[in-house]
């Protein structure tokens, strides 16, 4: 966790430096879809992919002439809890909606080519994401969500006509997003971490 906080601090410092260096700043709106799956720590439970959606505001700082920059967003994210808990040869499926306020912070690099970049410019990005639960913690009598979740995103995208950004990313959850307690009182807690794909479209002004 200390490493995550240090990298996050570095991203914030880079943003501050970008402002001082008269970086190119733009802001806009972002909308998209996400597919979430729990990575569960025990074979006594399993999870399937479930689709959700997200939307919010975004901002970008780019260092002139380098292709490097940072971006950040404040997003409302809707996901679905989905897991199957196995008990004595039987199974119980749980599907519950959950909502987060997510704050992803990324370092970004765009490939700029003369003339061509005015119409299309590919880019890659990576960075931490912090999610704060806004829905209820309780999923069932045997499961609870954590109030926050920390993940690391890896993604790529295309910028079109210098305004529209289409991107796809994979989020690797670090923290225990869910705690599932097996019906057997002697069983250990079963933990789940979020793994998710996100596809978004952003319009920057």
């Amino acid at each position: 966790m200390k490493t995550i906080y240090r990298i996050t601090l570095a991203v914030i410092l880079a943003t501050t430096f970008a402002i001082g260096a008269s970086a190119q700043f733009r802001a806009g709106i972002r909308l998209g879809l996400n597919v979430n799956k729990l990575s569960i720590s025990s074979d006594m439970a399993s999870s399937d992919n479930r689709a959700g959606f997200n939307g919010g505001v975004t901002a970008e700082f780019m260092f002139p002439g380098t292709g490097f920059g940072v971006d950040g967003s404040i997003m409302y994210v809707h996901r679905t809890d989905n897991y199957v808990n196995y008990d004595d040869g039987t199974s119980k499926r749980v599907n519950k909606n959950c909502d987060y306020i997510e704050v992803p912070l990324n370092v970004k690099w765009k490939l700029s080519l003369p003339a061509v970049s005015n119409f299309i410019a590919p880019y890659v990005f990576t960075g931490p994401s912090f999610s704060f639960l806004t829905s209820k913690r309780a999923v069932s009598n045997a499961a609870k969500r954590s109030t926050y979740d920390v993940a690391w995103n890896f993604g790529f995208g295309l910028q079109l006509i210098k305004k529209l950004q289409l991107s796809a990313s994979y989020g690797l959850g670090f923290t225990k997003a869910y705690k599932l307690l097996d019906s057997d009182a002697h069983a250990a807690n079963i933990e789940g971490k979020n793994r998710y794909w996100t596809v978004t479209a952003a319009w920057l002004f």
Side-chain angles (χ1 to χ4, degrees):
M1 292 300 295
K2 290 183 179 180
T3 301
I4 297 174
Y5 294 142
R6 289 172 182 170
I7 294 174
T8 302
L9 178 60
V11 172
I12 295 173
L13 291 175
T15 302
T16 303
F17 179 79
I19 296 174
S22 298
Q24 298 171 351
F25 170 78
R26 297 188 298 167
I29 57 174
R30 184 181 298 275
L31 298 171
L33 300 174
N34 46 265
V35 177
N36 183 69
K37 182 178 181 179
L38 290 177
S39 176
I40 298 177
S41 61
S42 171
D43 58 5
M44 298 178 69
S46 64
S47 177
D48 298 325
N49 291 319
R50 283 294 182 270
F53 60 89
N54 57 80
V57 294
T58 188
E60 176 188 83
F61 298 89
M62 297 300 297
F63 295 90
T66 66
F68 285 95
V70 294
D71 68 22
S73 303
I74 301 177
M75 306 288 290
Y76 165 76
V77 179
H78 177 81
R79 295 175 181 158
T80 300
D81 298 331
N82 171 266
Y83 68 89
V84 179
N85 193 24
Y86 300 100
D87 183 17
D88 297 330
T90 62
S91 64
K92 179 181 179 181
R93 181 175 296 276
V94 176
N95 291 282
K96 294 288 185 179
N97 295 330
C98 58
D99 304 293
Y100 292 90
I101 297 298
E102 182 177 359
V103 182
L105 303 171
N106 296 302
V107 176
K108 175 184 288 185
W109 178 73
K110 292 182 185 178
L111 176 61
S112 297
L113 300 174
V116 176
S117 59
N118 290 330
F119 303 97
I120 183 171
Y123 61 89
V124 293
F125 59 92
T126 187
S129 179
F130 305 91
S131 299
F132 305 92
L133 185 69
T134 60
S135 53
K136 294 181 179 180
R137 289 193 66 190
V139 180
S140 67
N141 292 333
K144 285 187 177 180
R145 307 183 187 99
S146 298
T147 56
Y148 68 92
D149 187 29
V150 180
W152 194 272
N153 293 326
F154 305 87
F156 61 94
L158 284 176
Q159 177 175 279
L160 305 175
I161 60 173
K162 290 190 173 182
K163 295 287 186 179
L164 178 63
Q165 293 187 354
L166 305 175
S167 65
S169 64
Y170 181 73
L172 185 64
F174 289 154
T175 55
K176 302 167 186 176
Y178 302 85
K179 292 183 178 180
L180 315 177
L181 184 61
D182 188 74
S183 58
D184 183 352
H186 299 289
N189 286 337
I190 302 174
E191 300 165 347
K193 297 181 180 179
N194 278 322
R195 300 286 190 268
Y196 53 89
W197 286 95
T198 303
V199 178
T200 63
W203 186 266
L204 301 178
F205 300 99

Coordinates of all heavy atoms in Angstrom, one line a residue, residues 1 4 35-41 79 100 102 127-131 146 148-154 169-178 191-198:
M1 N 0.8 -1.2 0.0 CA 0.0 0.0 0.0 C 0.9 1.3 0.0 O 0.5 2.3 -0.6 CB -0.9 0.0 1.2 CG -2.0 -1.1 1.2 SD -3.1 -0.9 -0.3 CE -3.9 0.7 0.1
I4 N 1.7 2.3 -3.4 CA 0.6 3.0 -4.1 C 0.5 4.4 -3.8 O 0.3 5.3 -4.6 CB -0.7 2.2 -3.8 CG1 -0.7 0.8 -4.3 CG2 -1.9 3.0 -4.4 CD1 -1.9 0.0 -3.9
V35 N -17.2 -4.1 -17.2 CA -17.4 -5.5 -17.0 C -16.6 -5.9 -15.8 O -15.4 -5.9 -15.8 CB -17.1 -6.4 -18.2 CG1 -17.4 -7.8 -17.8 CG2 -18.0 -5.9 -19.4
N36 N -17.3 -6.3 -14.7 CA -16.6 -6.6 -13.4 C -16.7 -8.1 -13.1 O -17.7 -8.8 -13.4 CB -17.3 -5.8 -12.3 CG -16.6 -6.1 -11.0 OD1 -15.5 -5.6 -10.8 ND2 -17.3 -6.7 -10.0
K37 N -15.6 -8.6 -12.5 CA -15.6 -10.0 -12.0 C -14.8 -10.1 -10.7 O -13.7 -9.5 -10.6 CB -15.0 -11.0 -13.0 CG -15.0 -12.4 -12.6 CD -14.5 -13.3 -13.7 CE -14.5 -14.8 -13.2 NZ -14.0 -15.7 -14.3
L38 N -15.3 -10.8 -9.7 CA -14.6 -11.0 -8.5 C -13.5 -12.0 -8.6 O -13.7 -13.1 -9.2 CB -15.5 -11.4 -7.3 CG -16.5 -10.3 -6.8 CD1 -17.4 -10.9 -5.8 CD2 -15.8 -9.1 -6.3
S39 N -12.3 -11.7 -8.1 CA -11.2 -12.7 -8.0 C -11.3 -13.2 -6.5 O -10.9 -12.5 -5.6 CB -9.9 -12.1 -8.2 OG -8.9 -13.0 -8.0
I40 N -11.9 -14.4 -6.4 CA -12.2 -15.0 -5.0 C -11.0 -15.9 -4.5 O -10.5 -16.7 -5.3 CB -13.5 -15.7 -5.1 CG1 -14.6 -14.7 -5.4 CG2 -13.8 -16.3 -3.7 CD1 -16.0 -15.3 -5.6
S41 N -10.7 -15.8 -3.2 CA -9.6 -16.4 -2.7 C -9.8 -17.9 -2.3 O -8.9 -18.6 -1.8 CB -9.2 -15.7 -1.4 OG -10.2 -15.7 -0.4
R79 N -21.9 -1.2 -10.6 CA -21.4 -2.6 -10.8 C -22.5 -3.5 -10.3 O -23.4 -3.1 -9.5 CB -20.1 -2.8 -10.2 CG -18.9 -2.0 -10.8 CD -17.7 -2.3 -10.0 NE -16.6 -1.5 -10.5 CZ -15.5 -1.1 -9.8 NH1 -15.3 -1.5 -8.6 NH2 -14.5 -0.4 -10.4
Y100 N -20.3 3.1 -6.8 CA -19.1 3.7 -6.2 C -18.9 5.1 -6.8 O -19.4 5.4 -7.9 CB -17.8 2.9 -6.7 CG -17.7 1.5 -6.0 CD1 -18.3 0.4 -6.6 CD2 -17.0 1.4 -4.8 CE1 -18.1 -0.8 -6.0 CE2 -16.8 0.1 -4.3 CZ -17.4 -1.0 -4.8 OH -17.2 -2.2 -4.3
E102 N -15.6 6.8 -8.1 CA -14.3 6.3 -8.5 C -13.4 7.5 -8.9 O -13.9 8.3 -9.7 CB -14.3 5.3 -9.5 CG -12.9 4.7 -9.9 CD -13.0 3.6 -10.9 OE1 -14.1 3.2 -11.4 OE2 -11.9 3.1 -11.3
G127 N -2.1 4.0 -14.0 CA -2.2 4.7 -12.8 C -3.2 4.1 -11.8 O -3.9 3.2 -12.1
P128 N -3.2 4.6 -10.5 CA -4.1 4.1 -9.5 C -5.5 4.6 -9.6 O -5.7 5.6 -10.3 CB -3.4 4.6 -8.2 CG -2.8 5.9 -8.6 CD -2.3 5.7 -10.0
S129 N -6.4 3.9 -9.0 CA -7.8 4.2 -9.0 C -8.3 4.0 -7.6 O -8.1 2.9 -7.0 CB -8.6 3.4 -10.0 OG -10.0 3.8 -10.0
F130 N -9.0 5.0 -7.1 CA -9.6 4.9 -5.7 C -11.1 5.0 -5.8 O -11.7 5.9 -6.4 CB -9.1 6.1 -4.9 CG -7.6 6.2 -4.9 CD1 -6.9 6.9 -5.8 CD2 -6.8 5.4 -3.9 CE1 -5.5 7.0 -5.8 CE2 -5.4 5.5 -3.9 CZ -4.8 6.3 -4.8
S131 N -11.8 4.0 -5.3 CA -13.2 3.9 -5.3 C -13.8 3.9 -3.9 O -13.3 3.2 -3.0 CB -13.7 2.6 -6.0 OG -13.2 2.5 -7.4
S146 N -16.4 -3.8 1.2 CA -15.6 -2.8 1.9 C -16.0 -1.4 1.4 O -16.6 -1.3 0.4 CB -14.1 -3.0 1.5 OG -13.6 -4.3 1.9
Y148 N -14.2 1.0 0.7 CA -13.3 1.6 -0.4 C -12.6 0.5 -1.1 O -12.5 -0.6 -0.6 CB -12.3 2.6 0.2 CG -11.3 1.9 1.1 CD1 -10.0 1.5 0.6 CD2 -11.5 1.7 2.5 CE1 -9.1 0.9 1.4 CE2 -10.6 1.1 3.3 CZ -9.4 0.7 2.7 OH -8.4 0.1 3.5
D149 N -12.1 0.8 -2.3 CA -11.3 -0.2 -3.1 C -10.2 0.6 -3.8 O -10.4 1.7 -4.4 CB -12.3 -0.8 -4.1 CG -11.7 -2.0 -4.9 OD1 -10.7 -2.6 -4.3 OD2 -12.0 -2.2 -6.0
V150 N -9.0 0.0 -3.9 CA -7.9 0.5 -4.6 C -7.5 -0.4 -5.7 O -7.3 -1.6 -5.4 CB -6.7 0.8 -3.6 CG1 -5.5 1.4 -4.4 CG2 -7.1 1.7 -2.5
A151 N -7.3 0.1 -6.9 CA -6.9 -0.7 -8.0 C -5.8 0.0 -8.8 O -5.6 1.2 -8.6 CB -8.1 -1.0 -8.9
W152 N -5.3 -0.8 -9.8 CA -4.3 -0.2 -10.7 C -4.8 -0.4 -12.1 O -5.1 -1.5 -12.5 CB -2.9 -0.8 -10.5 CG -1.9 0.1 -11.2 CD1 -1.5 -0.1 -12.5 CD2 -1.1 1.1 -10.7 NE1 -0.5 0.9 -12.8 CE2 -0.3 1.6 -11.7 CE3 -1.1 1.7 -9.4 CZ2 0.6 2.7 -11.5 CZ3 -0.2 2.8 -9.2 CH2 0.6 3.2 -10.2
N153 N -4.9 0.7 -12.9 CA -5.4 0.6 -14.3 C -4.3 0.5 -15.3 O -3.3 1.2 -15.2 CB -6.3 1.8 -14.5 CG -7.6 1.7 -13.7 OD1 -8.1 0.7 -13.4 ND2 -8.0 2.9 -13.3
F154 N -4.5 -0.2 -16.4 CA -3.6 -0.3 -17.5 C -4.5 -0.1 -18.8 O -5.5 -0.8 -18.9 CB -2.9 -1.6 -17.6 CG -2.1 -2.0 -16.4 CD1 -2.7 -2.7 -15.4 CD2 -0.8 -1.7 -16.3 CE1 -2.0 -3.1 -14.3 CE2 0.0 -2.1 -15.2 CZ -0.6 -2.7 -14.2
S169 N -9.5 0.0 -20.7 CA -8.5 -0.3 -19.6 C -8.9 -1.5 -18.8 O -10.1 -1.9 -18.8 CB -8.4 0.9 -18.7 OG -9.6 1.2 -18.0
Y170 N -7.9 -2.0 -18.1 CA -8.1 -3.2 -17.2 C -7.7 -2.7 -15.8 O -6.6 -2.2 -15.6 CB -7.3 -4.4 -17.6 CG -7.5 -5.6 -16.8 CD1 -8.7 -6.3 -16.8 CD2 -6.5 -6.0 -15.9 CE1 -8.9 -7.4 -16.0 CE2 -6.7 -7.1 -15.0 CZ -7.9 -7.8 -15.1 OH -8.0 -8.9 -14.3
G171 N -8.6 -3.0 -14.8 CA -8.4 -2.6 -13.5 C -8.0 -3.8 -12.6 O -8.8 -4.8 -12.6
L172 N -6.9 -3.8 -11.9 CA -6.4 -4.9 -11.1 C -6.6 -4.4 -9.7 O -5.8 -3.6 -9.1 CB -5.0 -5.2 -11.4 CG -4.3 -6.4 -10.7 CD1 -5.0 -7.6 -11.2 CD2 -2.8 -6.4 -11.0
G173 N -7.6 -5.0 -9.0 CA -7.9 -4.6 -7.6 C -6.9 -5.1 -6.6 O -6.4 -6.3 -6.7
F174 N -6.4 -4.2 -5.7 CA -5.4 -4.6 -4.7 C -6.1 -4.9 -3.4 O -5.6 -5.8 -2.7 CB -4.4 -3.5 -4.5 CG -3.5 -3.3 -5.7 CD1 -2.9 -2.0 -5.9 CD2 -3.1 -4.3 -6.5 CE1 -2.0 -1.9 -6.9 CE2 -2.2 -4.2 -7.6 CZ -1.7 -2.9 -7.8
T175 N -7.1 -4.2 -3.0 CA -7.7 -4.4 -1.7 C -8.8 -5.4 -1.7 O -9.3 -5.8 -2.8 CB -8.2 -3.0 -1.2 OG1 -9.1 -2.5 -2.2 CG2 -7.1 -2.0 -1.0
K176 N -9.3 -5.8 -0.5 CA -10.3 -6.8 -0.4 C -11.7 -6.1 -0.5 O -12.1 -5.4 0.4 CB -10.2 -7.5 0.9 CG -8.9 -8.2 1.1 CD -8.7 -8.6 2.6 CE -7.3 -9.2 2.8 NZ -7.0 -9.5 4.2
A177 N -12.3 -6.2 -1.7 CA -13.5 -5.5 -1.9 C -14.7 -6.1 -1.3 O -15.7 -5.5 -0.9 CB -13.8 -5.3 -3.4
Y178 N -14.6 -7.5 -1.1 CA -15.7 -8.2 -0.5 C -15.2 -9.2 0.5 O -14.1 -9.7 0.4 CB -16.5 -9.0 -1.5 CG -17.1 -8.1 -2.6 CD1 -16.3 -7.7 -3.7 CD2 -18.4 -7.7 -2.5 CE1 -16.8 -6.9 -4.7 CE2 -18.9 -6.8 -3.5 CZ -18.1 -6.5 -4.6 OH -18.6 -5.6 -5.6
E191 N -12.4 -14.1 0.6 CA -12.3 -12.7 0.2 C -12.3 -12.6 -1.3 O -11.9 -13.5 -2.0 CB -10.9 -12.2 0.7 CG -10.8 -12.2 2.2 CD -9.4 -12.0 2.7 OE1 -8.5 -12.1 1.9 OE2 -9.3 -11.8 3.9
G192 N -12.8 -11.4 -1.8 CA -12.9 -11.2 -3.2 C -12.3 -9.8 -3.6 O -12.5 -8.8 -2.9
K193 N -11.5 -9.8 -4.6 CA -11.0 -8.6 -5.2 C -11.6 -8.3 -6.5 O -11.8 -9.2 -7.3 CB -9.4 -8.7 -5.3 CG -8.8 -8.9 -3.9 CD -7.2 -9.0 -4.1 CE -6.6 -9.2 -2.7 NZ -5.1 -9.3 -2.8
N194 N -11.8 -7.0 -6.8 CA -12.4 -6.6 -8.1 C -11.4 -6.7 -9.2 O -10.2 -6.4 -9.1 CB -12.9 -5.1 -8.0 CG -14.2 -5.0 -7.4 OD1 -15.1 -5.9 -7.6 ND2 -14.4 -4.0 -6.6
R195 N -11.8 -7.2 -10.4 CA -11.1 -7.2 -11.6 C -12.1 -6.7 -12.7 O -13.2 -7.3 -12.8 CB -10.7 -8.7 -12.0 CG -9.7 -9.3 -11.0 CD -8.3 -8.7 -11.0 NE -7.4 -9.5 -10.2 CZ -7.1 -9.2 -8.9 NH1 -7.8 -8.2 -8.3 NH2 -6.2 -9.9 -8.3
Y196 N -11.7 -5.7 -13.4 CA -12.8 -5.2 -14.3 C -12.1 -4.5 -15.6 O -11.0 -4.0 -15.6 CB -13.6 -4.1 -13.6 CG -12.8 -3.0 -12.9 CD1 -12.4 -1.9 -13.6 CD2 -12.4 -3.2 -11.6 CE1 -11.7 -0.9 -12.9 CE2 -11.7 -2.2 -10.9 CZ -11.3 -1.1 -11.6 OH -10.6 -0.1 -11.0
W197 N -12.9 -4.6 -16.7 CA -12.6 -4.0 -17.9 C -13.5 -2.7 -18.0 O -14.7 -2.8 -17.6 CB -12.9 -4.9 -19.1 CG -11.8 -5.9 -19.3 CD1 -11.9 -7.2 -18.9 CD2 -10.6 -5.8 -20.0 NE1 -10.7 -7.9 -19.3 CE2 -9.9 -7.0 -19.9 CE3 -10.0 -4.7 -20.7 CZ2 -8.7 -7.2 -20.5 CZ3 -8.7 -4.9 -21.2 CH2 -8.1 -6.2 -21.1
T198 N -13.0 -1.6 -18.5 CA -13.7 -0.4 -18.7 C -13.5 0.2 -20.1 O -12.4 0.3 -20.5 CB -13.3 0.7 -17.7 OG1 -13.5 0.1 -16.3 CG2 -14.2 1.9 -17.8

